[in-house]
Amino acid sequence: MRRICAVKRSVRFPVPAALHRLLDRLQFPAALLRRLALASIIANVGIVVTGGAVRLTASGLGCPTWPRCTDGSYVPTNEMGVHGVIEFGNRTLTFAVAIIAFATVLAALAHRPRRRGVLALSIAVFCGIPAQAVLGGITVLTNLNPWVVGLHFLASMAVIAAAYALWRRTADPDGPAVAVVPAPLRTLARLTTVVGVAVLLIGTWVTGSGPHAGDRDAVRNGLDPESISQVHADSVFLLLGLSVALVFAFRAVGAARAERAALLLVGVELGQGLIGFVQYFTHLPGVLVGAHMFGSCLVLLAALHVQWSTRERRSVPAVPAPTLAAEPVTVAV
């Protein structure tokens, strides 16, 4: 039995020798790894915005099936017009986002010394992209069901969050995370992030009840637009109140870096709130709705920035090389 357990513990899944030699030869510098991680954030935010453009131009069913664009073609035909081009263009951008994510995985594999957690995060971002593509396909196959469309948006937010964590991790040393603010303030920061996620969730319900369905024949979620918009506004006010409280709390304990992060969050929320109110009272023009979607990504990133500002990683002290004690030398006189 012990021998069997020992064999099981010895099982490994090594990188193929040829790939291992190639990665050793490439030796991606840390600066390139960090730039790729930042590019991954930008690309994933970009595909959220272009996905919004698909919906706002009523091109959600421009390609009426998935994974093909039509039953007989992977690309749009002339009969499908501009809506087919817009929807197919958004699908094509997925490959660009995936290429960036795959390059980030390679950079994480090739970087020496190997950074703790970086490879796992880069793989999570990369795997999130085909998962997003499948969710996008389900939205098409369900004729833009508003609940599925909302899930598609929230999954994009999850990929952006993983990409942000990866970007921050590429700059952090490998030492333990140390809190720079008291525990109650860390709890308040987490609560603020949770409320921010709830705001995004309720926002998808508002969108699902509104006029921008992505196609003229797509159904709505059945919620009363005015009532759910009020719930969304109330959650935004709660988020803003918590964020302002973070500013004063961080200032009270002298956490300057955390205070600046909270101020940035408040500024992003005010801008996002202004866009939200203007779009509501101007009957949801497409340009402002697209800007509001972009602002949602910024709110999430700013909230995560606050989370990271409440602790820092410190470098692991170098272990000094052992020194050999000098042996006494006897000199004959």
Side-chain angles (χ1 to χ4, degrees):
M1 183 66 181
R2 291 180 179 176
R3 180 175 297 177
I4 293 174
C5 294
V7 170
K8 287 183 177 180
R9 283 195 296 268
S10 65
V11 173
R12 295 289 185 271
F13 299 95
V15 177
L19 178 59
H20 186 76
R21 289 194 297 269
L22 175 61
L23 293 174
D24 283 341
R25 191 176 299 116
L26 289 175
Q27 287 292 311
F28 283 90
L32 178 59
L33 175 59
R34 184 163 173 78
R35 291 191 189 102
L36 284 171
L38 179 60
S40 191
I41 297 175
I42 296 171
N44 279 284
V45 171
I47 205 165
V48 169
V49 175
T50 58
V54 170
R55 182 167 55 82
L56 295 170
T57 57
S59 303
L61 295 178
C63 288
T65 188
W66 187 89
R68 296 186 178 191
C69 191
T70 67
D71 290 334
S73 175
Y74 283 97
V75 298
T77 60
N78 292 333
E79 293 79 8
M80 299 168 66
V82 66
H83 295 304
V85 173
I86 293 173
E87 165 65 7
F88 181 74
N90 185 62
R91 294 187 184 187
T92 305
L93 283 176
T94 302
F95 292 99
V97 179
I99 289 171
I100 295 173
F102 183 66
T104 308
V105 173
L106 291 180
L109 278 169
H111 182 65
R112 298 292 186 274
R114 186 73 56 79
R115 299 297 310 283
R116 186 190 311 163
V118 169
L119 180 59
L121 285 169
S122 65
I123 293 175
V125 173
F126 177 70
C127 292
I129 294 167
Q132 273 293 81
V134 171
L135 275 174
I138 294 174
T139 63
V140 173
L141 297 177
T142 57
N143 294 319
L144 306 181
N145 181 288
W147 301 107
V148 180
V149 172
L151 180 61
H152 188 44
F153 173 78
L154 293 174
S156 294
M157 296 294 105
V159 175
I160 290 172
Y164 179 83
L166 170 63
W167 178 66
R168 291 300 298 257
R169 190 67 189 88
T170 58
D172 285 343
D174 285 330
V178 178
V180 296
V181 299
L185 298 191
R186 298 200 304 276
T187 301
L188 179 60
R190 295 189 191 100
L191 176 61
T192 303
T193 302
V194 170
V195 172
V197 172
V199 168
L200 296 177
L201 173 62
I202 299 171
T204 65
W205 301 344
V206 176
T207 299
S209 69
H212 296 292
D215 186 81
R216 287 178 297 180
D217 297 327
V219 299
R220 302 283 71 205
N221 60 20
L223 298 176
D224 177 60
E226 185 173 350
S227 299
I228 196 61
S229 295
Q230 184 61 57
V231 173
H232 184 55
D234 292 341
S235 65
V236 169
F237 284 126
L238 174 60
L239 175 61
L240 183 60
L242 291 172
S243 302
V244 172
L246 280 176
V247 172
F248 287 102
F250 290 150
R251 181 177 300 174
V253 297
R257 186 167 66 97
E259 180 188 348
R260 289 192 297 269
L263 280 170
L264 176 63
L265 176 60
V266 170
V268 172
E269 289 167 353
L270 289 174
Q272 176 74 335
L274 177 62
I275 295 173
F277 277 108
V278 173
Q279 73 169 5
Y280 179 79
F281 290 109
T282 55
H283 306 292
L284 304 174
V287 172
L288 288 182
V289 174
H292 200 56
M293 292 185 67
F294 175 65
S296 297
C297 300
L298 296 184
V299 169
L300 174 65
L301 292 171
L304 293 174
H305 181 49
V306 171
Q307 283 292 116
W308 257 261
S309 71
T310 62
R311 82 322 180 251
E312 63 181 17
R313 287 185 180 272
R314 297 172 182 172
S315 300
V316 178
V319 179
T323 56
L324 298 176
E327 296 182 358
V329 178
T330 303
V331 179
V333 180

